[in-house]
Amino acid sequence: MSRLHVVSGKGGTGKTTVAAALALALATEGRRTLLVEVEGRQGIAQLFETEALPYEERKIAVAPGGGEVHALAIDAERALLDYLQMFYKLGSAGRALKKLGAIDFATTIAPGLRDVLLTGKACEAVRRKDKSGAFVYDAVVMDAPPTGRVTRFLNVNDEVAGLAKIGPIHNQAQAVMRVLKSPETAVHLVTLLEEMPVQETADGIAELRAAGIPVGGVVINMTRPALLDNGDLEVAARGARAGIAKALSQAGLGGARRGGLAERLIDPLLEQAREHAERVELERTQHAALTDLGLPTYELGLLPEGVDLAGLYGLARDLRKQGPI
Amino acid sequence: MTSDDTTLDASAPWLEVDALIDDPRTRIVVCCGSGGVGKTTTAAALGVRAAERGRKVVVLTIDPARRLAQSMGISELDNVPRQVKGVDESAGGELHAMMLDMKRTFDEIVEGHADAERARAILENPFYQSLSAGFAGTQEYMAMEKLGQLRAGDAWDLIVVDTPPSRSALDFLDAPKRLGSFLDGKFIRVLMAPAKVGGRAGMKFLNVGMSMMTGTLSKLMGGQLLRDVQTFVAAMDTMFGGFRTRADATYRLLQAPGTAFLVVAAPERDALREAAYFVERLAAEQMPLAGLVLNRVHGSGAAQLSAERALAAAEALTEGLPDRVPEDEAAAPEADDDANSSPRDGGSPSAENLEPAGIVDLADGKTGSRTPGGPSPAAAAEHATSPSAPAAQLAAGLLRLHAERMQVLARERRTRDRFTALHPEVPVTEVGALPGDVHDLAGLRTIGDRLALRPGETEV
């Protein structure tokens, strides 16, 4: 079973929400998870309705059954300073480096160093053990960059390892890569039942596989129930108009005769039904395309009023119900 | 660009897209916003519309969906604009489109600024290869660089640019500056000539810090990487002036009056929050914001019927219905419905005529007899003549669907109102949601029509 869950997905598919729900789901029954943010957006803090996360691991939620979710917003600059401090005892020289722009240079421009630091920090948390030799976190969930960039982000360690052929960065990159390519890691992709996110999911899986990074499951997010389908529309098309008008009228929505309030509702209502049926049909096609990928899929329903804390717990429950992820 | 008399509501002026793209003074339109809000589609739709309204347009896209790229004929990455076929050029316009090839753009800058030998040294440097293949900021910078090139060529009336799918919508604004400060940085100097820095007694601390730092870096990255970086930096040195000038020029270009920023968002909390940040940031940078494009907005032709009433009516309809009857019975009325419309059922009364029976039936509460125990003969007889059960069921379904739509509408309006309350000065245009994805010119035209639609107007 994987212990590092990397959650990616096309922009707008709700990967931060899914990552948070997954961290909650994995934390039940007294377990402890770490939810990691790498892009400095403070999305986790917003979801859990707390103030901005500092660069330190802190408990942000309790899961049913006594589990705990901890969170960390990794800041590449701070991670580099930590790293230097850990290996070289830099002290105030670290500040001098910062003043010179070296840290800025290293974390924004130096090839992949930033990404090594971010993934390295997550891998460190995965492997961290307490005094008794037990893992500090049962699972680490990373809210990763979007699908289009995730393979490069995770695989960057390979690139850095190729660039820096010796030295601690090289060793660090190698160590990180060993974790990322092991069965300990699973990259999950979040998608909607729309063409572009599904296409990106398929492309992303191919890229991850080509890079030798293990793919976990596909989370289909924001699904909506099909209230009507083409069959119903056919009934409507077969001349049930008058019947619908009567029914609407009978339900107290006005007159059913031509020009009556209820009768005038029919065209717009049927138009909405046609759009709905078209969408249901598109979603069916996309669902089939996802099933063809041959990966475990999980479905999370749309929360019409947006995601709040209660909704997040609901999503975690739904994930858990769908089996181990 | 905006007009006060036609407003979405009291606080949001309308963004007149046609006035914007028709204005010969508008030379650059930048579409920005967070991921997944339809930036690329908006940029392409604006391009098609502007071209069909007579302007010579080039659309620079960063990462279009495959089918959209194919439909515009730009699936090959050759880093030059290609004319898009199928665009109506009768108004004298043209549409060209290109997809950014980041590495190639970078290579071209190097080739354009260094002699052949130096260029080769740079292009072969592992550090350069890694940097140009797309690490943080390169894509954003190259998009701005390409924009600068297209603008400098002056071959286009209008350049529409789509911004990269950044981790934040603000990244691309920072990229040119970041590169500029990187190239100006003391750190570069240190890398290039560690021995030359410091020297004077007063600089001693700095000097110690630096030698310690380069030593550390050497240890950290490995001597070979540091050498690669130093070689790269040295080789690029002659180009730095050029790079910096270009970065500055691009930045000024974005501030120029001919540029218009369109912030693209979907009516969702996160996307609009990002849009608000962006609006504030553009103001701080004195960059000209034209307005907000709110994509995928839902409407309803039956907005007079509220979600609550629709749900209550749906409930009333299903309560009166045998919705818990066994399958076979539930299927029977549909067969009746078929029979009613069948010509074999000679002289059958029209559905309209049958309706009152159904209503009487329901109003009388006789439906209570249609229990799972099996239909009473009376109920069966009613079924034989009345299509009202499936009609009522269908009506209830339509009403539930409508209630869902109205809830979506209300939510979208709330999110939008939150934005307009914060930024009442920002003109807005709303684009109605389409059921499916857009991947052809016809779809882009539809989007273009919707972009230009005056609030309250409906499509013809």
Side-chain angles (χ1 to χ4, degrees), chain B residues 42 168 214 217 285 320 372 389 440:
Chain B
T42 303
S168 132
T214 43
L217 275 174
E285 305 281 334
D440 54 19

Side-chain angles (χ1 to χ4, degrees), chain B residues 19 67 83 109 135 139 146 189 194 218 316 347 395 397 402 434 439:
Chain B
R67 285 177 67 184
Q83 186 153 6
I109 305 174
F135 286 98
Q139 196 177 38
K146 198 75 206 174
R189 307 288 138 197
S218 180
H402 177 70
L434 293 171
H439 27 58

Side-chain angles (χ1 to χ4, degrees), chain A residues 187-240:
Chain A
V187 182
H188 309 294
L189 295 171
V190 184
T191 186
L192 307 178
L193 286 177
E194 288 169 17
E195 194 179 322
M196 270 163 63
V198 168
Q199 184 61 51
E200 269 199 29
T201 301
D203 293 349
I205 289 168
E207 278 175 33
L208 286 164
R209 284 184 174 153
I213 298 167
V215 182
V218 173
V219 180
I220 305 170
N221 198 17
M222 303 187 212
T223 59
R224 287 168 291 188
L227 293 174
L228 282 175
D229 61 18
N230 277 328
D232 296 318
L233 278 181
E234 276 167 35
V235 173
R238 277 202 309 264

Side-chain angles (χ1 to χ4, degrees), chain B residues 314-329:
Chain B
E315 212 160 295
L317 280 171
T318 37
E319 263 170 23
L321 273 176
D323 56 351
R324 282 183 298 256
V325 297
E327 281 293 310
D328 54 345
E329 198 196 334

Side-chain angles (χ1 to χ4, degrees), chain B residues 410-422:
Chain B
R411 192 168 63 245
E412 290 180 351
R413 185 155 304 152
R414 275 198 306 278
T415 2
R416 190 206 64 190
D417 287 350
R418 214 171 300 154
F419 176 88
T420 43
L422 284 172

